[in-house]
């Protein structure tokens, strides 16, 4: 395998193109004129237009803002809960850690539709239906168990000598956490934040159940309502879809390493 | 972060054991005599108190946002909840009536059958395609890492985006799929609106969504297989197929098991793809258990929370059974 055969690259490009065809199609339709949507589809936008984007943005800008707020809220909540818990499990060796790990694994297996129903019942009584806060909390349940397991796995690999040395120098548990463990675990923080954001941004089930009559709807629900309202304007629907895909695309470009790490980590511990 | 997959499997279940490699290092000094009583109670171990302190946010979180909603869900399934009862808080206790109703309804066998087909077919194709691609990408060629990264895109897109794109591609009149079929002289297929093809359509979209995950996991599993094995096999004159059959596949078995189990648990939970593409229809043609539960609770104008919760709890049991197998497998690796 010394030579790098060009035909493999060619085949790889073809396979990737085939795989990403739906993504291309989304972009293609988003640039198509409304009158060209009917009948035989066109492989390329013959007369590309941004009409779809104009109407999408006009209507969906608030929803994009809402999703951003929910995404960042989710990241903050997840990291605040998960990082100290990982520290307790991996470095302070919390007694009963095995049981807690087991619970976290089990928590990730609960179907979202069940959680949605439970949250609905709870939120009805608390008056948290249709609120951004309610969605931040519900969405964070997707990421918190994953976050704790990721942090604790990484922290378990931190050399004991590092913690020991700090302890001898008189640092307390809080100081060690803040000045050593957290900075060293920076990559885990990036991965956890990235996924917490993406999952909250992409969530449809919680949004469509806990925020059905809300004033501020996230972008996923915006697209869904859009489809329900005007099935002829697929260029606008697809334009919204393209815009909603931007965070994922950006994160894939700038943080691909963390994405791949997160997928494998999730696989081992989901 | 690209750590050994199996290794992190072991540490994920039990970080404590690996960390104890340093013996008593990093532990608050405690007299051995005290250890007996500390098993139940730890006044002499300040580190345990701080450990609990750092874990308190998580414990409170799990109780408030996992245990309590789940408990409410069980409660829903044991009572006759209506919208009115929700508001007034006086539902009638009905025991297992909701479960009996669900299991004896005409929809149940249909939904169960669809769930089995949806899960098995999805997983089989996701895994097979993912494996072929992983083996293909293992040979480092020009652009291979870039292309591999691009394969993650479907996995990262919001489900509403991919599902609605597929819905438009499969549109009977204006969809690209039918247009290609007709160009080759075929008949127009009503993918999403005819009972024969609705389930197949959502399965196709779901397979597409699952390929990246399988590819990444299996690829990292392949990275663990020592290259010398392949070199030795090549020297012995083994063909590519023989190398795959006698080296790659057997050594990948643990990763395969994990991938399939997780695939099962994920696929069992799927709601969005099916709901957005077909809402489980036409009729119940593409209705799977999770979608049925969603439809009963939120999908019609008439919320039926109690049967929906019963279906949901059945799903939990199924997922946990497979999750338990998954955990047992991880444990058995640790012992190796």
């Amino acid at each position: 395998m010394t030579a790098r055969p060009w035909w493999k690259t060619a085949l790889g490009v073809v396979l990737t193109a085939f795989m990403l065809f739906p993504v291309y199609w989304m972009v293609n339709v988003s640039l198509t004129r409304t009158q060209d949507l009917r009948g035989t589809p066109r492989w390329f936008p013959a007369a590309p237009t941004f009409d779809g984007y104009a109407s999408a943005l006009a209507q969906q800008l608030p929803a994009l803002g809402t999703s951003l707020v929910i995404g960042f809220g989710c990241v903050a909540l997840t990291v605040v809960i998960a990082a100290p818990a990982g520290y307790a499990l991996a470095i302070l060796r919390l007694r009963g850690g095995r049981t807690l790990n087991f619970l976290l694994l089990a928590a990730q297996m609960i179907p979202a539709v069940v959680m949605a129903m439970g949250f609905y019942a709870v939120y009805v009584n608390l008056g948290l239906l249709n609120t951004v806060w309610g969605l931040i909390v519900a969405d964070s349940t997707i990421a918190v168990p994953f976050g704790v397991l990721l942090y604790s796995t990484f922290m378990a690999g931190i050399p004991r000598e590092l913690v020991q040395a700090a302890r001898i120098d008189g640092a307390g548990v809080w100081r060690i956490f803040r000045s050593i463990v957290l900075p060293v675990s920076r990559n885990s923080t990036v991965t956890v934040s990235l996924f917490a954001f993406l999952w909250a941004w992409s969530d449809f089930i919680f949004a469509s159940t806990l925020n059905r009559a809300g004033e501020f709807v996230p972008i996923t629900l915006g697209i869904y309502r859009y489809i329900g309202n005007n099935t002829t304007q697929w260029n606008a629907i697809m334009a919204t879809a393209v815009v909603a895909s931007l965070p994922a695309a950006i994160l894939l470009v700038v943080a691909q390493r963390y994405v791949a790490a997160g997928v494998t980590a999730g696989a081992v511990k989901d | 972060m690209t750590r050994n997959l199996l290794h992190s499997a072991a540490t994920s279940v039990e970080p404590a054991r690996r960390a104890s490699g340093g013996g008593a290092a990093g532990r608050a000094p405690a007299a051995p005599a005290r250890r007996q009583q500390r098993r139940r109670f730890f006044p002499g171990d300040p580190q345990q108190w701080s450990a609990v302190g750092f874990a308190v946010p998580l414990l409170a979180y799990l109780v408030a946002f996992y245990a309590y909603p789940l408990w409410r869900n069980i409660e829903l399934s044991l009572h006759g909840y209506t919208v009115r009862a929700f508001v007034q808080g006086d539902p009638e206790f009905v025991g297992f009536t909701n479960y009996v109703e669900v299991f004896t309804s005409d929809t149940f066998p249909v939904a169960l059958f669809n769930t089995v087909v949806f899960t098995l077919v999805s997983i089989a194709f996701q895994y097979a395609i993912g494996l072929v691609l992983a083996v293909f990408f293992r040979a480092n060629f020009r652009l291979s890492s870039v292309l591999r990264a691009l394969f993650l895109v479907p996995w990262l897109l919001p489900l509403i985006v991919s599902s609605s794109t597929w819905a438009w591609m499969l549109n009977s009149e204006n969809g690209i799929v039918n247009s290609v079929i007709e160009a080759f002289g075929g008949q127009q297929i009503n993918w999403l609106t005819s009972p024969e093809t609705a389930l197949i359509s959502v399965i196709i979209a779901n397979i597409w969504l699952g390929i990246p995950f399988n590819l990444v996991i299996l690829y990292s599993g392949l990275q663990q297989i020592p290259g010398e094995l392949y070199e030795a096999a090549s020297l012995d004159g083994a063909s590519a197929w023989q190398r795959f059959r006698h080296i790659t596949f057997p050594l990948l078995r643990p990763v395969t098991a994990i991938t399939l189990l997780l695939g099962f648990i994920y696929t069992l939970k799927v709601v969005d793809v099916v709901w957005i593409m077909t809402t489980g229809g036409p009729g119940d043609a593409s209705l799977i258990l999770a979608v049925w539960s969603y439809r009963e609770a939120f999908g019609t104008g008439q919320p039926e929370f109690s049967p929906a919760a019963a279906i949901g709890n059945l799903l939990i049991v199924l997922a946990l059974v497979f999750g338990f197998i998954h955990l047992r497998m991880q444990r058995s690796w640790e012992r190796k």
Side-chain angles (χ1 to χ4, degrees), chain A residues 43 56-58 64 98 114 126 148 150 167 170 191 198 202 236 249 265:
Chain A
W43 289 93
L57 284 177
L64 287 167
R98 278 188 81 124
V114 175
L126 295 180
V148 177
L150 200 90
R167 195 167 282 150
T191 306
L198 265 186
S202 312

Side-chain angles (χ1 to χ4, degrees), chain B:
Chain B
M1 272 308 294
T2 46
R3 43 187 47 235
N4 179 316
L5 187 76
L6 304 188
H7 204 140
S8 59
T11 52
S12 72
V13 177
E14 213 188 356
R17 216 173 64 177
R18 219 194 100 198
S20 62
R27 179 177 297 196
R34 300 278 297 274
R35 205 164 284 184
Q36 285 303 317
Q37 45 168 280
R38 275 213 343 246
R39 201 158 283 173
R40 278 187 307 272
F41 190 63
F42 36 85
D45 189 348
Q47 186 174 304
Q48 271 308 309
W49 288 111
S50 31
V52 170
F54 276 91
V56 156
L58 174 70
L59 297 173
Y61 180 95
L62 287 178
V63 169
F65 303 135
Y66 264 101
Y68 185 55
L70 283 176
W71 162 245
R72 285 302 308 265
N73 196 61
I74 292 170
E75 208 193 25
L76 285 179
S77 72
L78 297 176
H79 290 78
Y81 262 96
T82 56
V83 178
R84 202 183 57 84
F86 248 133
V87 178
Q88 303 193 338
D90 58 342
E92 185 193 355
F93 181 80
V94 294
F96 285 101
T97 313
N98 289 310
Y99 291 88
V100 173
E101 263 181 28
V102 164
F103 286 128
T104 53
S105 84
D106 293 343
T107 312
F108 182 70
V110 177
L112 189 65
F113 173 79
N114 287 346
T115 307
V116 171
V117 172
F118 182 80
T119 327
L120 292 184
V121 177
S122 289
I123 291 175
F125 278 91
Q126 283 171 8
Y127 174 78
I129 297 170
L131 182 60
V132 169
L133 289 167
V135 171
F136 173 73
F137 278 113
R138 189 170 196 264
N140 274 327
F141 48 88
R142 213 175 293 268
L143 288 182
S144 64
S145 60
V146 176
L147 296 176
R148 214 158 30 87
L150 284 172
F151 259 88
L152 278 174
V153 170
W155 192 80
L156 289 170
L157 291 182
L159 277 170
I160 181 100
V161 167
S162 24
S163 309
S164 45
T165 304
W166 274 100
W168 181 242
M169 282 168 56
L170 293 170
N171 182 290
S172 303
E173 311 288 330
N174 313 308
I176 179 72
V177 175
N178 274 349
S179 144
V180 170
I181 290 175
E182 282 164 25
F184 283 99
Q187 290 287 315
Q188 177 182 310
I189 300 172
N190 296 323
W191 291 100
L192 300 175
T193 48
S194 81
E196 291 80 27
T197 50
L199 185 61
I200 297 170
S201 304
V202 291
I203 288 176
I204 290 172
N206 193 53
I207 290 170
W208 181 79
L209 285 166
I211 288 171
F213 176 78
N214 282 265
L215 165 62
V216 173
I217 305 294
L218 294 167
Y219 179 83
S220 66
L222 287 179
Q223 298 296 310
Q224 313 300 327
I225 302 177
E228 300 89 62
L229 287 176
Y230 290 103
E231 284 159 30
S234 297
L235 290 175
D236 292 341
S239 68
W241 169 244
Q242 282 174 320
R243 286 200 297 266
F244 175 80
R245 246 204 69 191
H246 298 292
I247 300 174
T248 311
F249 201 68
L251 287 176
L252 210 58
R253 194 164 296 153
V255 183
T256 294
I258 285 253
T259 313
L260 294 179
L261 270 172
L262 288 173
F264 182 85
I265 293 163
Y266 287 149
T267 315
L268 205 60
K269 296 202 280 191
V270 168
V271 173
D272 338 37
V273 187
V274 180
W275 185 256
I276 294 158
M277 284 176 75
T278 64
T279 61
D284 296 337
S286 57
L287 193 75
I288 54 179
L289 286 168
V291 177
W292 187 24
S293 174
Y294 182 91
R295 190 172 78 180
E296 288 293 316
F298 305 104
T300 60
Q302 305 288 325
E304 293 282 357
F305 287 103
S306 297
I311 303 164
N313 291 337
L314 167 71
L315 282 173
I316 292 187
V317 171
L318 286 176
L320 287 183
V321 165
F322 281 83
F324 188 69
I325 298 171
H326 165 74
L327 221 62
R328 287 295 301 270
M329 280 167 49
Q330 284 200 339
R331 291 269 155 88
S332 67
W333 281 350
E334 277 177 63
R335 282 196 283 275
K336 277 175 195 161

